[in-house]
Amino acid sequence: MKPASSNKNFNFDQSLALFSRAAKVIPEGIYGHQNPAFVLPGNCPYFADSAHGAHFRDVDGNDYIDFLCGYGPVVVGHAHPEVEKAVSGLLSKGVCFNHPGEIMVRLAERLTGLISIADWSIFAKNGSDVTTYAVRVAREFTGRKKIIIASGAYHGAHAWCTAYPGGVLPEEAANVRPIRWNRLDDLEKCVAENSGEIAGIVLTPYHHPTYTAQEMPADGFWEGVREICDTEGIILILDDIRAGFRLSIHGSHEVYGICPDLVCYAKAMANGHPIAAAVGRQKFREAAEQVFFAGTFWFAPAPMAAALTTLNILETGNAIAEMERLGIRLKTGLEEIGTAQGFRVTLSGPPALPYMTFDDHPDLYHIQIFCREMIARGVFLHPHHNWFLCAAHTDADIDETLEKAEIAFRRVKEEVGT
Ligand code: PMP
């Protein structure tokens, strides 16, 4: 796909027309976090047409360097030939059977081989499926009700954890207690106030809330969490859905020195094909077996083939190192160009999953204008959600992004100052 030219006048006419049609027959037109209201209404594409490598095309024919990668699943590049070959090889043998295939056992063996704490693995389709499952396993194991999370963290769209009240009974979320990320004092207080009642703590490996800078774990944070869990008999559930396999083929807990009991994966596991997994230690297996877990489509073999191939590519190639290298180039480049234009900007989080903030403007207006200007020049950056590098990004993509960022920073300065 050819890169977008810097002076192309992007319009979103087809996106807007499709949205009008959609709004008549689909609640909200586009629901969930793909709703344009979460990005930049009127200034971003609403519908996609196709994607290859690190680029995608919208329904108006605009081409972009893709720094969202399907909100994370695309890790070795859109429509990766090896992954798609593995998938299409299986599709011709049938898509959905009465039984799982041999491949499910192979994938479980692969995950238990790759992930230090995994003695078993179970599969579903979405991240929310497995975070909810892990919470149930923790409740089953401990016989307790309450769950601790970090405030601002996203663990899915299910009733126990959604931030949106529509249709949710207060009692469905009543047993969830938020603490502040990195605050062991909060955690100690919360555990003391709910002594003997906490089943599990659900945390991401580092904090990646929307709208604000990402926060890395402070020294001693994870050790402290583990100690409290051990003392109080609380199950430590790591939600590695967003970062899993992008930072390490062995899971993000290896990067940050975390000792979780149960871990949830989805996104990058199968390069965009729908599959999620929960893995756990042997001692939780009996509880895991008591939790009824089922979905009509969950045993489909093709996404499992995509997962096996994606994991092989990540393990044998230099994809993970490349994403980090290019992410560091992007971070350094944007921070330098921003500074030269008079802004204080920070790219927080791991280089392969960065988020940019204008540090003097937490109201988001500056980042929105910046992303609007980048999108209009063919670089898709989300103003409110962390970005994703994939292994198909190239140095040329980063060069082009930085070149356009210089123009975009200038446009921000002209419009709203530094
Ligand atoms: N946990 C985390 C950390 C996530 O980023 C997400 C998805 N953004 C989920 C859970 C839920 O995954 P899904 O949207 O596939 O249900």
Side-chain angles (χ1 to χ4, degrees):
M1 198 172 288
K2 88 178 163 39
S5 73
S6 59
N7 54 9
K8 182 173 173 186
N9 205 358
F10 276 35
N11 76 62
F12 304 109
D13 295 349
Q14 294 303 320
S15 264
L16 294 169
L18 259 181
F19 191 73
S20 300
R21 278 172 57 198
K24 294 194 179 95
V25 289
I26 299 169
E28 286 192 274
I30 301 172
Y31 40 88
H33 54 267
Q34 280 93 342
N35 187 289
F38 182 44
V39 194
L40 294 164
N43 290 297
C44 66
Y46 295 2
F47 291 89
D49 174 69
S50 53
H52 294 95
H55 294 243
F56 80 96
R57 178 169 293 173
D58 70 15
V59 289
D60 285 276
N62 304 312
D63 295 332
Y64 305 87
I65 303 172
D66 187 0
F67 284 107
L68 198 56
C69 295
Y71 282 85
V74 175
V75 66
V76 293
H78 289 283
H80 190 283
E82 238 179 285
V83 178
E84 295 319 305
K85 191 168 161 224
V87 168
S88 54
L90 278 189
L91 287 178
S92 59
K93 290 172 71 180
V95 176
C96 185
F97 309 133
N98 311 320
H99 313 281
E102 170 271 343
I103 197 163
M104 183 161 101
V105 184
R106 229 184 322 143
L107 183 56
E109 287 168 349
R110 184 77 166 111
L111 289 187
T112 52
L114 277 176
I115 299 159
S116 59
I117 67 102
D119 294 311
W120 52 265
S121 176
I122 202 162
F123 304 105
K125 284 278 165 246
N126 285 287
S128 307
D129 299 332
V130 286
T131 52
T132 297
Y133 175 74
V135 161
R136 286 192 189 156
V137 172
R139 285 177 169 157
E140 176 65 27
F141 184 85
T142 57
R144 303 173 183 169
K145 281 186 185 171
K146 293 181 182 168
I147 299 292
I148 295 176
I149 61 167
S151 49
Y154 186 77
H155 299 297
H158 289 184
W160 70 272
C161 59
T162 180
Y164 301 92
V168 176
L169 304 176
E171 53 266 41
E172 288 179 290
N175 289 303
V176 176
R177 297 284 176 276
I179 57 156
R180 286 169 294 178
W181 171 262
N182 259 346
R183 293 293 295 264
L184 283 176
D185 55 336
D186 266 23
L187 180 57
E188 275 160 8
K189 186 162 171 274
C190 184
V191 168
E193 282 170 3
N194 299 276
S195 181
E197 294 183 290
I198 307 289
I201 300 178
V202 186
L203 292 171
T204 53
Y206 60 95
H207 195 37
H208 45 62
T210 39
Y211 303 111
T212 56
Q214 306 187 90
E215 277 183 76
M216 304 315 269
D219 281 350
F221 176 66
W222 277 113
E223 290 85 341
V225 172
R226 183 70 257 178
E227 212 176 297
I228 292 169
C229 286
D230 287 343
T231 311
E232 300 290 330
I234 295 168
I235 312 307
L236 179 51
I237 300 168
L238 185 70
D239 176 351
D240 201 9
I241 285 164
R242 190 153 328 166
F245 306 119
R246 218 180 210 88
L247 303 178
S248 164
I249 186 68
H250 302 291
S252 308
H253 60 286
E254 297 295 343
V255 179
Y256 300 107
I258 309 164
C259 292
D261 295 313
L262 304 171
V263 190
C264 301
Y265 299 103
K267 293 198 187 276
M269 194 175 150
N271 202 43
H273 288 273
I275 188 161
V279 304
R281 294 182 190 273
Q282 188 61 26
K283 75 179 207 188
F284 303 106
R285 195 192 169 110
E286 220 176 290
E289 286 171 351
Q290 292 304 312
V291 177
F292 183 71
F293 196 54
T296 302
F297 301 111
W298 290 359
F299 290 166
M304 295 181 181
L308 282 167
T309 310
T310 303
L311 292 171
N312 280 349
I313 297 170
L314 290 173
E315 189 177 31
T316 54
N318 64 346
I320 293 173
E322 263 305 275
M323 286 186 276
E324 179 167 27
R325 184 184 72 79
L326 291 171
I328 291 171
R329 275 205 63 206
L330 183 69
K331 172 182 164 68
T332 313
L334 286 177
E335 288 178 350
E336 275 174 15
I337 296 166
T339 305
Q341 302 264 354
F343 296 102
R344 281 201 318 130
V345 295
T346 305
L347 271 81
S348 57
L353 300 91
Y355 178 61
M356 190 171 93
T357 42
F358 282 79
D359 299 336
D360 300 315
H361 303 285
D363 62 7
L364 303 171
Y365 199 36
H366 284 63
I367 186 70
Q368 288 174 355
I369 298 170
F370 178 81
C371 290
R372 183 194 74 197
E373 293 299 317
M374 293 300 277
I375 290 171
R377 287 169 176 79
V379 181
F380 193 83
L381 296 174
H382 199 300
H384 305 140
H385 187 287
N386 77 265
W387 310 337
F388 296 89
L389 276 285
C390 77
H393 281 114
T394 61
D395 279 301
D397 291 326
I398 304 297
D399 291 342
E400 188 181 333
T401 300
L402 296 178
E403 206 178 287
K404 288 172 176 172
E406 194 150 359
I407 308 169
F409 277 121
R410 209 172 309 128
R411 291 285 303 113
V412 177
K413 191 154 61 175
E414 283 161 13
E415 202 165 318
V416 283
T418 56

